[in-house]
Amino acid sequence: MKIFSAANPPQAHIVCELLRANGIACEVRGEGIFGLQGEVPFGEASEPHVWLFDIEQAGVAKQLVAQFEQPHSEPSWQCIECGEVNEGQFAMCWQCGSAAEA
Ligand SMILES: [Zn+2]
């Protein structure tokens, strides 16, 4: 079953790798025709997407996809170098480039 529709092929691969890292069998489909946009009608069939092999893993897979789609739920953090407050999905301070504290 299709577990995730991506906006572009790299995004599909990120989600696919995330799921695989959690023991879920999946693959990226649909990216082969991504470059033909304009020649084929754009829609569900031509979007790159992540295909889930084992439907019994759909519940876990959907949770992981939901986490991926809501990066803003991560807590914001304050830079120790310049004091700037950064959103949680940024690993580096957008102001001065310092890395976030682990
Ligand atoms: Zn900073």
Side-chain angles (χ1 to χ4, degrees), residues 68-91:
F68 174 79
E69 290 179 322
Q70 294 177 349
H72 295 278
S73 63
E74 292 177 40
S76 58
W77 53 278
Q78 189 169 20
C79 178
I80 56 172
E81 295 294 328
C82 71
E84 186 66 39
V85 175
N86 297 279
E87 288 188 46
Q89 74 266 32
F90 297 118

Side-chain angles (χ1 to χ4, degrees), residues 2-20 26-31 34 37 42 47-51 64-72:
K2 185 199 284 189
I3 193 70
F4 176 72
S5 290
N8 50 59
Q11 190 181 48
H13 282 279
I14 289 169
V15 171
C16 187
E17 290 304 315
L18 174 70
L19 296 180
R20 282 179 178 168
C26 60
E27 71 176 14
V28 175
R29 293 186 179 180
E31 63 177 335
F34 189 74
Q37 276 179 36
F42 187 73
E47 284 175 357
H49 57 273
V50 177
W51 188 264
L64 291 166
V65 169
Q67 285 174 17
F68 174 79
E69 290 179 322
Q70 294 177 349
H72 295 278

Side-chain angles (χ1 to χ4, degrees), residues 37-48:
Q37 276 179 36
E39 296 176 36
V40 294
F42 187 73
E44 284 282 304
S46 61
E47 284 175 357

